[in-house]
């Protein structure tokens, strides 16, 4: 956290102890449908109850103000037809708009003070409060919570979480959206290393996707790199307890970056870099963001929030609310099933994306690697949308494959490409025409009971997601696949377009979707062949949605044709 943090004074008075007693003893308590991922994920095991004196860090999301006004401002600064297009808000402007009411700030601070919390810090927008407290104090404060220690994940990470739901006192419920650090376990990577396709002879063929293959397919020349003369930058965020190594980046660029100007190292790491082995996903994110967005200053958010009770994704959101100067483009390969998250948590995170959009940030999220997804309740199958991919305030990136895996050809659907319709967010107005057209014209729609046709539809765009080369722990690794690959590639190309816009005196692209849909896929290669995977049952037989002309919920509007996309997006 930065020096901007506002400390909440500590000390305990008899009056506040009395307040706490009234709150804890009160018969009426209320839970705002907290974020409760209580099913133990595969690969995790309980080590028993946490020590009552063990220290936790909990994050309290305070109720914000003026969200309707914020929504209208986002629409105004993101719509090319608006006179306010590109006139983004500063962090201080956003803080002035959404800052919780004095009553909310006073009530929550007194509550925490009475509970014995210490070292509480806020953010510039004052809508998050992060505090230290013991397990004993947290269980008293949040009725029903019961903290256990768990171990799991690829690196045998230790975390402290509550398998039980908590309740907030009735007096506090109007002031707190959710408490973070209780339920959600660290995410796991969905990257896959596929078997190498078999082919007779290799003359004239490529043996996997590298930066030169990306640049050839998307029509970038050696001159399509950052100028090195602007303050333009880009960022990727990683939450997987994985790290990149500078030596891997250097080796990757030595092997694959010889024909274009590039930067040799990451400009800034926010968070902590582990000392262990590099992770393939972390390596992939950095290497392809820096080779697609070549010669542009790059930041990495590396598992910010390293305490056992912190949630790295939530800590990244807090950092966005506490830094005045941020890279214009952020790419994130992270997602959860919508149904695993509470509506209050999803709505609040969506508001954080709205705040970013108001400031002119382009947030790109991977669409996921499970196709349409699938879940079954009472024997009834449905597709399973992913969040944040389903947020209406992010640009979601799907995945494609080459039609011929060994030649730079046209693209088809990568069957893992995540896509579908949100069960939480209604369809935003900017995509009304495109989605209506798809639903009325697609010859291969799944049964209507499998998806919410009126929901926010995703992805918005796509890029190659199959067969990448990555260098990790000094070893070149082939055939790595996932939308974790397509997302930094698309983000890097948007950073190059921002470079041209900045040199021309224009603001960065900001929240891209309203413009993207108004331009109906101009500057993108339309992907019209292939379907993605879904439920393996008799009714749909593993097939989700299929691509077609125009927008579709598998590859969005398509993949980038850089010179055409630059021409489309360079001017206001």
């Amino acid at each position: 956290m930065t020096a901007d943090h506002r400390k909440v004074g500590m000390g305990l008075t008899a009056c506040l102890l009395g307040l706490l007693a009234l709150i804890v003893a009160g018969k009426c308590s209320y839970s705002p449908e907290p974020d409760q991922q209580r099913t133990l994920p595969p690969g995790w095991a309980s080590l028993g109850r946490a020590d009552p004196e063990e220290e936790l860090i909990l994050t309290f999301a305070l109720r914000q103000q003026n969200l309707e006004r914020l929504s209208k401002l986002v629409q105004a600064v993101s719509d090319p037809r608006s006179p306010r297009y590109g006139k983004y808000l500063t962090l201080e402007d956003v803080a002035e708009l959404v800052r919780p009411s004095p009553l909310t700030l006073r009530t929550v601070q007194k509550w925490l003070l009475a509970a014995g919390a210490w070292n509480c810090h806020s953010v510039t927008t004052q809508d998050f409060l992060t505090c230290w407290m013991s397990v004993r104090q947290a269980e008293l404060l949040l009725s029903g919570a019961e903290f256990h220690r768990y171990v799991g994940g690829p690196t045998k990470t230790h975390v402290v979480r509550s398998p039980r739901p908590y309740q907030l006192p009735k007096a506090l419920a109007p002031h707190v959206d959710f408490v973070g650090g209780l339920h959600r376990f660290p995410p796991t990577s969905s990257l896959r290393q596929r078997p190498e396709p078999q082919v007779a002879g290799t003359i004239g063929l490529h043996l996997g996707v590298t930066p030169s293959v990306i640049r050839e397919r998307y029509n970038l020349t050696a001159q399509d790199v950052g100028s090195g003369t602007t303050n333009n930058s880009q960022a990727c965020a990683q939450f997987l307890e994985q790290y990149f190594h500078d030596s891997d980046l250097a080796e990757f660029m030595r092997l694959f970056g010889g024909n274009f100007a590039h930067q040799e190292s990451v400009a800034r790491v926010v968070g902590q870099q582990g000392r262990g082995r590099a992770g393939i996903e972390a390596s992939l994110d950095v290497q392809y963001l820096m080779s697609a967005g070549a010669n542009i200053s790059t930041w990495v958010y590396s598992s910010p929030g390293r305490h056992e009770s912190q949630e790295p994704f939530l800590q990244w959101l807090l950092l966005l609310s506490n830094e005045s100067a941020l890279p214009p483009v952020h790419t994130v390969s992270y997602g959860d099933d919508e149904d695993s998250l509470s509506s209050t948590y999803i709505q609040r995170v969506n508001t954080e994306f709205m705040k970013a959009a108001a400031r002119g940030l382009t947030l790109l999220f991977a669409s996921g690697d499970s196709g349409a997804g699938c879940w079954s309740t009472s024997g009834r199958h449905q597709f399973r949308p992913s969040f944040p991919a389903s947020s209406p305030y992010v640009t979601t990136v799907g995945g494609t494959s080459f039609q011929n895996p060994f030649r730079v050809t046209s693209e088809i659907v990568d069957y893992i490409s995540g896509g579908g319709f949100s069960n939480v967010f209604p369809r935003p107005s900017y995509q009304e025409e495109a989605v209506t057209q798809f639903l009325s014209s697609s010859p291969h729609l799944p049964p209507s009971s499998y998806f919410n046709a009126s929901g926010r539809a995703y992805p918005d765009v796509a890029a190659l997601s199959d067969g990448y080369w990555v260098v990790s722990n000094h070893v070149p690794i082939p055939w790595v696949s996932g939308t974790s690959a397509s997302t930094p590639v698309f983000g890097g190309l948007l950073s190059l377009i921002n470079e041209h816009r900045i040199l021309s005196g224009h603001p960065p692209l900001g929240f891209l979707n309203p413009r993207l849909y108004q331009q109906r896929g101009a500057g993108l290669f339309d992907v019209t062949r292939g379907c993605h995977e879904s439920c393996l049952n008799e009714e749909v037989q593993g097939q989700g949605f299929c691509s077609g002309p125009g927008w579709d919920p598998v590859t969005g509007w398509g993949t980038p044709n850089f010179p055409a996309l630059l021409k489309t997006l360079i001017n206001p």
Side-chain angles (χ1 to χ4, degrees):
M1 296 291 177
T2 70
D4 271 11
H5 289 151
R6 295 161 175 78
K7 298 235 178 186
V8 178
M10 292 301 140
L12 207 54
T13 66
C15 172
L16 291 176
L17 275 172
L19 171 66
L20 177 64
L22 285 171
I23 289 173
V24 172
K27 292 182 180 178
C28 295
S29 59
Y30 172 84
S31 167
E33 196 189 352
D35 174 35
Q36 298 173 25
Q37 182 181 324
R38 298 191 303 277
T39 303
L40 200 60
W44 287 85
S46 173
L47 300 177
R49 290 289 295 271
D51 183 332
E53 300 311 314
E54 181 158 2
E55 295 178 349
L56 302 173
I57 304 177
L58 298 181
T59 299
F60 298 83
L62 277 58
R63 189 67 49 86
Q64 300 152 314
Q65 300 190 98
N66 301 315
L67 297 187
E68 188 65 33
R69 195 167 150 214
L70 178 66
S71 174
K72 289 178 179 175
L73 279 168
V74 169
Q75 191 169 352
V77 300
S78 308
D79 185 343
R81 298 171 299 192
S82 163
R84 286 209 56 172
Y85 179 64
K87 296 176 181 176
Y88 304 125
L89 278 64
T90 65
L91 177 60
E92 290 67 29
D93 292 335
V94 173
E96 191 66 32
L97 194 63
V98 304
R99 182 180 293 120
S101 70
L103 176 62
T104 290
L105 292 170
R106 187 167 60 247
T107 302
V108 175
Q109 288 175 7
K110 283 184 176 181
W111 178 55
L112 291 168
L113 186 65
W118 71 89
N119 197 26
C120 289
H121 291 83
S122 187
V123 292
T124 301
T125 48
Q126 293 185 263
D127 48 3
F128 286 106
L129 197 57
T130 299
C131 295
W132 288 76
M133 63 187 69
S134 70
V135 165
R136 186 195 311 277
Q137 290 166 327
E139 289 180 350
L140 272 173
L141 193 67
L142 302 166
S143 174
E146 183 183 281
F147 288 89
H148 291 240
R149 178 170 282 282
Y150 296 91
V151 63
T155 57
K156 298 301 176 189
T157 305
H158 285 252
V159 299
V160 177
R161 296 288 187 267
S162 171
R164 297 186 178 178
Y166 67 86
Q167 290 187 314
L168 285 172
K170 190 175 182 181
L172 266 295
H175 303 291
V176 176
D177 287 332
F178 69 86
V179 183
L182 274 84
H183 300 299
R184 299 173 67 236
F185 284 80
T188 55
S189 174
S190 58
L191 272 183
R192 312 179 188 191
Q193 189 176 6
R194 295 181 183 167
E196 180 177 346
Q198 299 303 305
V199 65
T202 58
I203 296 173
L205 306 180
H206 71 79
L207 297 175
V209 175
T210 64
S212 61
V213 170
I214 293 284
R215 298 178 79 82
E216 180 181 350
R217 168 56 187 156
Y218 297 142
N219 293 322
L220 282 86
T221 69
Q223 286 69 49
D224 290 319
V225 295
S227 65
T229 63
T230 72
N231 61 354
N232 189 20
S233 57
Q234 57 190 358
C236 58
Q238 303 169 346
F239 313 117
L240 291 171
E241 296 291 326
Q242 286 194 8
Y243 310 99
F244 75 95
H245 287 175
D246 283 324
S247 57
D248 288 338
L249 175 61
E251 178 66 6
F252 177 84
M253 290 301 188
R254 186 187 72 79
L255 290 171
F256 303 119
N259 60 353
F260 56 91
H262 57 265
Q263 299 201 355
E264 297 288 344
S265 60
V266 168
R268 181 177 172 188
V269 176
V270 183
Q272 297 184 26
Q273 271 284 82
R275 298 177 183 172
R277 290 171 59 79
I280 294 179
E281 181 145 348
S283 303
L284 174 86
D285 286 346
V286 172
Q287 290 164 17
Y288 281 91
L289 181 61
M290 292 185 69
S291 55
N295 212 35
I296 289 175
S297 178
T298 301
W299 296 19
V300 176
Y301 288 85
S302 180
S303 288
R306 297 279 296 135
H307 188 272
E308 290 175 345
S309 62
Q310 286 182 292
E311 298 172 9
F313 177 66
L314 186 55
Q315 297 309 306
W316 174 70
L317 290 177
L318 267 65
L319 287 167
L320 294 187
S321 284
N322 211 39
E323 291 274 353
S324 294
L326 290 169
V329 172
H330 294 249
T331 77
V332 189
S333 304
Y334 165 81
D336 276 309
D337 296 323
E338 263 190 357
D339 57 89
S340 73
L341 304 169
S342 73
S343 62
T344 48
Y345 178 86
I346 282 187
Q347 294 291 352
R348 175 55 187 264
V349 171
N350 192 55
T351 299
E352 298 308 303
F353 297 151
M354 205 192 307
K355 286 161 57 180
R359 296 172 62 191
L361 301 183
T362 304
L363 301 184
L364 296 167
F365 276 83
S367 70
D369 297 339
S370 301
C374 185
W375 65 321
S376 178
T377 51
S378 306
R380 177 170 167 254
H381 289 83
Q382 285 182 294
F383 296 158
R384 195 173 199 181
S386 176
F387 178 81
S390 64
S391 166
Y393 292 102
V394 307
T395 299
T396 305
V397 185
T400 61
S401 302
F402 281 126
Q403 188 168 341
N404 179 329
F406 291 99
R407 293 190 184 277
V408 180
T409 59
S410 59
E411 293 160 77
I412 59 173
V413 169
D414 185 348
Y415 67 91
I416 65 167
S417 179
F421 294 77
S422 174
N423 290 320
V424 175
F425 300 107
R427 184 189 305 160
S429 58
Y430 61 73
Q431 64 172 191
E432 181 68 40
E433 183 183 345
V435 177
T436 300
Q437 173 69 23
F438 169 80
L439 291 172
S440 63
S441 62
S442 174
H444 305 293
L445 276 184
S448 60
S449 60
Y450 278 71
F451 65 100
N452 172 29
S454 63
R456 149 56 163 157
Y458 69 96
D460 305 297
V461 291
L464 285 163
S465 57
D466 185 20
Y468 279 69
W469 279 91
V470 182
V471 174
S472 189
N473 300 298
H474 309 289
V475 178
I477 300 170
W479 304 108
V480 175
S481 300
T483 52
S484 297
S486 55
T487 307
V489 166
F490 207 102
L493 300 190
L494 291 182
S495 292
L496 293 180
I497 294 172
N498 273 340
E499 183 89 355
H500 284 271
R501 288 180 61 85
I502 292 167
L503 288 169
S504 302
H506 303 316
L509 287 165
F511 175 45
L512 188 60
N513 291 11
R515 182 167 186 163
L516 188 69
Y517 282 81
Q518 280 179 30
Q519 294 176 174
R520 301 189 55 78
L524 298 165
F525 292 117
D526 194 5
V527 180
T528 60
R529 291 185 56 190
C531 309
H532 63 183
E533 62 187 359
S534 73
C535 302
L536 287 168
N537 65 340
E538 193 173 326
E539 193 168 18
V540 297
Q541 298 180 13
Q543 181 173 292
F545 297 98
C546 296
S547 63
W551 179 90
D552 57 70
V554 191
T555 59
W557 286 106
T559 63
N561 178 3
F562 182 75
L565 191 61
L566 174 62
K567 185 177 180 181
T568 300
L569 296 178
I570 190 171
N571 291 315

